[in-house]
Amino acid sequence: MIFDGHVNQLPDSDPGETQEWLDSLDAVIDVHGKTRARFLLTKLLEKARESQVSFPATVSTPYINTIPREAEPWFPGDEYLERRIRAFVRWNAAMMVVRANKHADGIGGHLSTYASSASLYEIGFNHFFRGKDDGTAGDHIYFQGHATPGVYARAFLERRLEAADLDQFRREIGRDGKGLSSYPHPRLMPDFWEFPTVSMGLGPLTALYHARFNRYLLNRELDDTSQSRVWAFLGDGECDEPETLGALSLASREKLDNLVFVVNCNLQRLDGPVRGNGKIIQELEAVFRGAGWNVIKVILGSKWDELLAKDKDGVLLNRLNTTVDGEFQRYSVEGGAYIRDEFFGGDPRLRQMVAHLTDDDLVHLPRGGHDYRKLYAAYKAATENLGSGAPTVILAKTIKGWTLGPGFEGRNSTHQIKKMTDAQLMALRDRLHLHDEIPDSAFEHDGLPYFRPAEDSVEYQYMIERRRALGGSVPKRLIRPRKTLAMPLDSTFAELRQGSGEQEVSTTMGFTRLLRNLSRDENIGQWVVPIIPDEGRTFGMDSLFPALKIYASQGQKYQPVDHDLLLSYAESAKGQILEEGITEAGSLASFIAAGTAYATRGVPTVPFYTFYSMFGFQRVGDLIWQAADARARGFLMGATAGRTTLPGEGLQHQDGHSLVLASTVPPCQSYDPAFAYEVAAIIQAGIHRMYGPDSTNRDVFYYITLYNENYPMPAMPEGLDAADIVRGLYRWAPAPETDRRATVLFSGSAHGAARATAAELAEYGIGVDLWSATSYKALRDDALSAERWNRLHPHQPARPALVQQLLADAPGPIVAVSDFMKIVPEQVARFLPGRTFVPLGTDGMGRSDTREALRDYFEVDAGHVVVAVLSALAAEGKASYDEVQAAIARHGINPEAHDPLDV
Ligand SMILES: Cc1ncc(C[n+]2csc(CCOP(=O)(O)OP(=O)(O)O)c2C)c(N)n1
Ligand SMILES: [Mg+2]
């Protein structure tokens, strides 16, 4: 960056002076060598920075600690007691995994991840993590998924859990579901875990956006988040996930100095080394620094300090810099003689440097991530970084399986070992100096004892006092409303209920109006969080920019190019809209932050994330699953929905299956509305369900499709109960009284074909009952429950499924049409015994063309619906096959046309 020759393009105001400096450098290199030259240059850069001479940051520094020994702060804790507490936590963490696998072989669990990160967590628990007992929201801590045993073990010492609870590790069924989940799952441990992390990469990404959302809340004066820090603990292997590193620049751009990443750099992942042939810490340092983060490397333990102090020639530094991770891993499993020969042996000066140390001393030259004081210094620096504008990452070098003994430490297989022999357990006990607490006799008779100090012990008193001083135990998930949200006024929804008269509009336009109305609603307005990726104009949401403004933490420092237009691009520090740019993953992370704020902060924000429906479940499905685990509430709005409704875009854009994917997420309430008033009814009911005062089963979110096809929006029919829309199916228009009748269910934009079918068939004396199927998922969920109840209550009168009940008096065969795959309506077919059920849908890969051409191709236009109804009637003996043939001819349908399913 700084050596690219650009300086040659700039004028030199004093060439003589320049030459003097260059000559001096040459002299240093000649006389003292390159190492000295490098040292002097670094000193110069440091001095320049101190003197505010701005300079592009170098992205990598030598392979030593960022904080030198002289700059380490005084350690305020009781080191001895904290070491004892750590030993207890380590012991119980190992014990619970080993016991779990003894009692249920194959139940799994992880010993080595926590073993490597115990100090990383304990320094936080004893000195930094802020709790919520003082009524604040505290810090937000994203624990590394595989480190849960250590977090449970500490909760056990703190007496938040009992031995019986630890014995339920990974056993979540039985005991009223009061097991300890394998990983952080708020869905399964709603009083304990706050943030699901175990799907690699999602924890860091959501933590980052959470820190950003806290700033949004602060800037919008919705909540004082200034005292809350977001801590994210992650693995070095996890950094290979694009989600982990993909949003780093947002954190520095947004000046998230309330964010701290702690990367447990044990140099290993599941199968082996993270970068055997390289150096993961150096690589990550460059990435984070390049992205503008404050990087604190904690590589070497204290005992290295005296060696470094002797390193006049830079040989040790050079050795550290040039040793690859694969070798470092090897040193962690070898003895002192090997380390002496291989690491220090190559250069006599190096060998001399450690001549006074025994082989045992060499083995115990510790890594920084196991050195409590070094970690304290790093965490303190991270917390004192508030105000600097830079987020912090701590890269802590550790050994995977640390303290667990030779069978574990640094072994490639260590990640998955979950059993320990008695000999290994005793060795661990000895290593942790727990002889008094756990005598040999404790191992007799099925042994495997937990240990916790009594409540009057100094250790217990100390740890509890520390937690008390920091605001109580963590992690803890609390629903403690600190702000109340009143329900929106009914009048806010009136505009959509009235319909659009003659005017042709889309459901997307209807929703945008509603979003604007909601944002102005005196009760709910300020709590609404509209989120869009870089697609606002596609959805007509640019109309919201001037009124709601786009959130920009720095305000708007420029006059936008369209400032003189009514719909100019208006940014503001108090802006309400989160315009995320082109990142569906980031947008979803914001959705999760806003959708869980009711719990994490006691602030009930209501997110509406509107996106290209194709790039929702399919693109960021795992994040949506994470939202479900996190008990997020809010609305996912799948715009430009429908494989034939979005014309011209082709197979990458045309979504005919997001509703199928939505059906796989249990708490997701998915809807495919045809009309604006349906959208209004679903959203109004959704807000009441998720945020209303008396509702139950409220930790759900909604997925609602929106289309961009314009048509006159009918008014909500007189007498229609909004609850009928929400339950998933209602009769939209009854069939005229004729001899021959059939039923057509429509969803979304397919209402057009359905209505045209009814009109056409009326001319042939066939009455069509039209029903709007707003949610096949809701109908199926109900039917599955009824079916299950009936099976388990053989002597009770059977409960009919709602869909069966509703369609009992719907006449004739049933044809269901939507702009999604046939499997969407088919979800309910099984629950309509004795009925002909014909689904029409858009199976196959999308392609570009006009709506008309696409609907003909996918066989969902009026002609095909007519043919389907006639064909079903013919099969029931109510129509002749000649009529079917005539309809095929009338609509110009080619019976030999390419089957869209056939790719
Ligand atoms: C998305 C995803 N892919 C794969 C896994 C399976 N997995 C669990 S832990 C792990 C290795 C983790 O290595 P690292 O991040 O270095 O953590 P460590 O245990 O070494 O601290 C893998 C691949 C997962 N949990 N999530
Ligand atoms: Mg690792």
Side-chain angles (χ1 to χ4, degrees):
M1 175 179 19
I2 55 176
F3 308 117
D4 60 3
H6 74 264
V7 74
N8 295 326
Q9 301 174 45
L10 305 175
D12 188 345
S13 60
D14 188 346
E17 187 184 41
T18 309
Q19 198 53 49
E20 276 175 35
W21 279 77
L22 295 178
D23 291 345
S24 308
L25 181 64
D26 281 342
V28 171
I29 298 170
D30 286 348
V31 179
H32 297 293
K34 291 181 185 171
T35 305
R36 174 77 187 146
R38 204 174 295 122
F39 178 86
L40 282 175
L41 283 171
T42 314
K43 274 278 175 201
L44 269 179
L45 287 177
E46 204 176 280
K47 183 74 189 155
R49 205 186 53 202
E50 276 168 21
S51 312
Q52 318 275 309
V53 179
S54 69
F55 211 80
T58 46
V59 292
S60 93
T61 62
Y63 199 64
I64 55 175
N65 297 341
T66 306
I67 301 175
R69 180 159 59 177
E70 314 81 75
E72 279 172 25
W74 171 74
F75 177 69
D78 182 323
E79 214 167 345
Y80 171 75
L81 281 181
E82 293 191 23
R83 191 177 317 123
R84 294 264 297 163
I85 293 164
R86 224 154 54 230
F88 300 146
V89 182
R90 283 181 178 285
W91 175 260
N92 290 312
M95 209 48 48
M96 69 184 290
V97 175
V98 175
R99 283 172 74 102
N101 284 277
K102 183 148 188 174
H103 297 151
D105 197 15
I107 203 83
H110 299 86
L111 292 161
S112 294
T113 300
Y114 179 72
S116 63
S117 54
S119 294
L120 304 184
Y121 289 112
E122 281 301 304
I123 203 84
F125 279 118
N126 285 322
H127 300 280
F128 295 99
F129 298 157
R130 280 175 296 206
K132 311 166 192 255
D133 289 359
D134 55 1
T136 67
D139 282 349
H140 308 296
I141 307 157
Y142 287 67
F143 292 93
Q144 198 184 347
H146 296 77
T148 52
V151 183
Y152 292 136
R154 179 168 243 271
F156 171 62
L157 292 187
E158 290 180 13
R159 284 168 169 73
R160 301 176 63 201
L161 296 175
E162 294 304 318
D165 298 312
L166 298 197
D167 276 346
Q168 288 298 117
F169 178 52
R170 292 188 161 235
R171 304 288 296 270
E172 299 177 295
I173 297 167
R175 244 190 31 143
D176 283 340
K178 292 217 173 58
L180 298 189
S181 56
S182 42
Y183 306 114
H185 293 311
R187 186 60 62 182
L188 299 173
M189 292 180 67
D191 304 325
F192 195 89
W193 294 116
E194 294 190 284
F195 309 110
T197 50
V198 80
S199 179
M200 308 261 114
L202 303 193
L205 179 79
T206 43
L208 195 156
Y209 275 85
H210 191 165
R212 197 297 209 86
F213 188 70
N214 277 358
R215 287 287 162 79
Y216 170 91
L217 291 175
L218 186 67
N219 279 326
R220 290 197 55 220
E221 295 173 15
L222 296 176
D223 190 22
D224 179 4
T225 55
S226 60
Q227 298 308 308
S228 290
R229 196 165 274 119
V230 179
W231 299 86
F233 288 81
L234 49 145
D236 47 359
E238 186 169 9
C239 292
D240 283 343
E241 292 283 5
E243 289 88 343
T244 306
L245 303 180
L248 295 188
S249 60
L250 175 83
S252 45
R253 207 160 59 239
E254 291 287 296
K255 304 198 184 315
L256 302 182
D257 48 18
N258 55 342
L259 176 66
V260 182
F261 273 17
V262 180
V263 188
N264 175 16
C265 296
N266 52 27
L267 315 187
Q268 289 180 244
R269 43 182 165 73
L270 192 151
D271 284 340
V274 179
R275 292 286 183 278
N277 295 314
K279 292 163 91 68
I280 185 64
I281 292 179
Q282 298 301 88
E283 186 180 321
L284 290 177
E285 176 187 30
V287 171
F288 278 92
R289 251 187 229 286
W293 285 52
N294 170 39
V295 179
I296 304 177
K297 296 196 289 190
V298 188
I299 295 177
L300 306 172
S302 305
K303 289 183 188 160
W304 287 87
D305 288 334
E306 58 161 299
L307 300 183
L308 274 178
K310 288 196 226 165
D311 189 28
K312 300 273 184 286
D313 301 325
V315 279
L316 176 58
L317 191 61
N318 188 44
R319 189 75 183 104
L320 286 164
N321 281 340
T322 53
T323 302
V324 295
D325 285 355
E327 279 186 80
F328 276 120
Q329 193 189 345
R330 179 88 192 266
Y331 297 135
S332 74
V333 304
E334 294 289 352
Y338 181 88
I339 297 172
R340 191 183 302 280
D341 286 348
E342 298 297 320
F343 186 79
F344 294 101
D347 186 308
R349 290 168 296 180
L350 263 183
R351 197 176 264 280
Q352 182 55 34
M353 204 181 275
V354 293
H356 65 297
L357 298 179
T358 64
D359 283 357
D360 210 37
D361 289 339
L362 293 184
V363 170
H364 292 111
L365 279 175
R367 294 189 178 177
H370 302 306
D371 189 309
Y372 213 59
R373 281 175 179 258
K374 299 279 182 210
L375 288 174
Y376 180 81
Y379 281 48
K380 187 149 193 293
T383 53
E384 287 171 355
N385 196 42
L386 198 66
S388 74
T392 295
V393 61
I394 295 171
L395 301 172
K397 188 175 181 183
T398 64
I399 288 179
K400 195 151 177 168
W402 179 242
T403 72
L404 292 177
F408 289 81
E409 290 172 356
R411 299 285 162 196
N412 274 336
S413 56
T414 192
H415 187 83
Q416 288 181 306
I417 311 177
K418 42 203 119 269
K419 294 184 181 172
M420 295 178 83
T421 62
D422 280 356
Q424 285 173 321
L425 286 169
M426 286 193 189
L428 174 62
R429 189 247 348 234
D430 296 349
R431 173 86 177 263
L432 299 175
H433 304 289
L434 297 176
H435 313 77
D436 292 343
E437 292 77 9
I438 306 160
D440 285 356
S441 58
F443 291 92
E444 290 162 13
H445 318 296
D446 198 23
L448 304 179
Y450 295 120
F451 173 80
R452 70 177 171 191
E455 288 188 49
D456 58 4
S457 65
V458 279
E459 292 90 348
Y460 176 78
Q461 292 298 331
Y462 181 87
M463 73 192 291
I464 289 302
E465 182 281 319
R466 291 307 309 143
R467 286 315 315 158
R468 209 172 282 136
L470 287 160
S473 291
V474 287
K476 190 183 288 176
R477 185 173 177 277
L478 269 185
I479 311 288
R480 184 173 53 193
R482 293 167 52 245
K483 306 274 160 111
T484 45
L485 179 153
M487 290 296 96
L489 305 172
D490 187 57
S491 55
T492 295
F493 301 89
E495 185 179 353
L496 266 64
R497 283 199 295 260
Q498 282 158 12
S500 65
E502 297 291 297
Q503 203 191 347
E504 298 203 334
V505 296
S506 64
T507 48
T508 310
M509 289 158 78
F511 166 69
T512 301
R513 293 298 277 260
L514 179 60
L515 190 57
R516 191 199 52 189
N517 295 349
L518 277 168
S519 305
R520 288 179 180 164
D521 183 288
E522 62 192 59
N523 288 342
I524 200 176
Q526 59 175 336
W527 303 110
V528 169
V529 182
I531 305 170
I532 40 173
D534 187 33
E535 214 72 65
R537 290 180 199 278
T538 312
F539 312 140
M541 288 192 175
D542 44 338
S543 62
L544 302 179
F545 293 170
L548 303 187
K549 303 219 168 30
I550 292 165
Y551 172 72
S553 55
Q554 346 243 318
Q556 191 161 32
K557 298 179 180 169
Y558 62 98
Q559 194 174 50
V561 64
D562 52 5
H563 65 99
D564 50 349
L565 300 183
L566 203 58
L567 299 185
S568 79
Y569 196 85
E571 300 185 89
S572 156
K574 290 203 186 318
Q576 190 160 1
I577 301 170
L578 286 173
E579 210 295 2
E580 299 290 11
I582 312 174
T583 167
E584 282 75 15
S587 306
L588 223 296
S590 282
F591 174 81
I592 293 175
T596 54
Y598 73 90
T600 57
R601 302 215 54 91
V603 172
T605 46
V606 186
F608 286 86
Y609 169 37
T610 311
F611 50 94
Y612 228 115
S613 73
M614 189 68 161
F615 305 130
F617 282 85
Q618 166 158 301
R619 178 74 183 229
V620 288
D622 201 15
L623 277 156
I624 295 178
W625 189 257
Q626 188 192 19
D629 188 356
R631 310 182 87 101
R633 301 174 187 166
F635 296 91
L636 295 174
M637 308 300 297
T640 51
R643 189 156 277 152
T644 71
T645 308
L646 175 66
E649 289 291 338
L651 97 173
Q652 213 92 62
H653 286 71
Q654 287 163 333
D655 167 34
H657 56 276
S658 64
L659 287 168
V660 182
L661 302 177
S663 74
T664 63
V665 182
C668 176
Q669 313 294 305
S670 78
Y671 285 89
D672 193 11
F675 308 117
Y677 69 80
E678 294 180 348
V679 175
I682 295 160
I683 290 177
Q684 190 173 16
I687 293 172
H688 279 266
R689 174 165 178 187
M690 295 184 289
Y691 297 91
D694 313 309
S695 97
T696 51
N697 194 10
R698 52 172 54 194
D699 292 348
V700 296
F701 56 82
Y702 286 69
Y703 176 57
I704 305 174
T705 57
L706 296 173
Y707 295 86
N708 66 357
E709 185 174 358
N710 295 334
Y711 40 87
M713 285 296 155
M716 183 158 158
E718 283 291 316
L720 174 62
D721 189 344
D724 294 351
I725 299 171
V726 177
R727 73 188 175 190
L729 182 66
Y730 67 94
R731 179 182 270 126
W732 191 71
E737 285 300 330
T738 51
D739 288 347
R740 299 195 299 171
R741 294 198 299 163
T743 294
V744 172
L745 315 184
F746 64 77
S747 310
S749 60
H751 74 92
R755 291 158 73 184
T757 298
E760 178 180 330
L761 287 179
E763 293 173 21
Y764 295 86
I766 298 171
V768 172
D769 223 33
L770 286 175
W771 292 67
S772 178
T774 51
S775 178
Y776 284 107
K777 183 175 193 261
L779 295 173
R780 178 176 163 80
D781 287 351
D782 163 80
L784 287 174
S785 292
E787 183 181 57
R788 172 176 177 268
W789 193 90
N790 294 341
R791 185 169 63 244
L792 298 176
H793 301 84
H795 290 302
Q796 314 257 353
R799 285 186 194 169
L802 178 67
V803 64
Q804 187 184 357
Q805 235 176 327
L806 290 174
L807 293 176
D809 67 344
I814 300 166
V815 173
V817 60
S818 83
D819 208 4
F820 280 79
M821 289 171 67
K822 298 181 182 71
I823 200 164
V824 175
E826 245 178 318
Q827 290 182 81
V828 301
R830 192 162 71 71
F831 304 103
L832 298 167
R835 303 296 295 269
T836 302
F837 189 92
V838 182
L840 295 178
T842 54
D843 296 56
M845 295 185 95
R847 55 192 61 209
S848 319
D849 214 309
T850 62
R851 275 190 194 122
E852 294 68 33
L854 288 167
R855 287 175 180 170
D856 178 38
Y857 176 81
F858 282 103
E859 302 172 2
V860 290
D861 62 4
H864 283 93
V865 182
V866 165
V867 170
V869 171
L870 289 171
S871 167
L873 282 168
E876 290 187 0
K878 301 270 175 54
S880 73
Y881 285 102
D882 286 346
E883 282 178 285
V884 183
Q885 189 62 55
I888 291 173
R890 188 165 70 243
H891 286 281
I893 293 170
N894 171 11
E896 310 313 324
H898 176 78
D899 180 350
L901 194 54
D902 177 13
V903 290

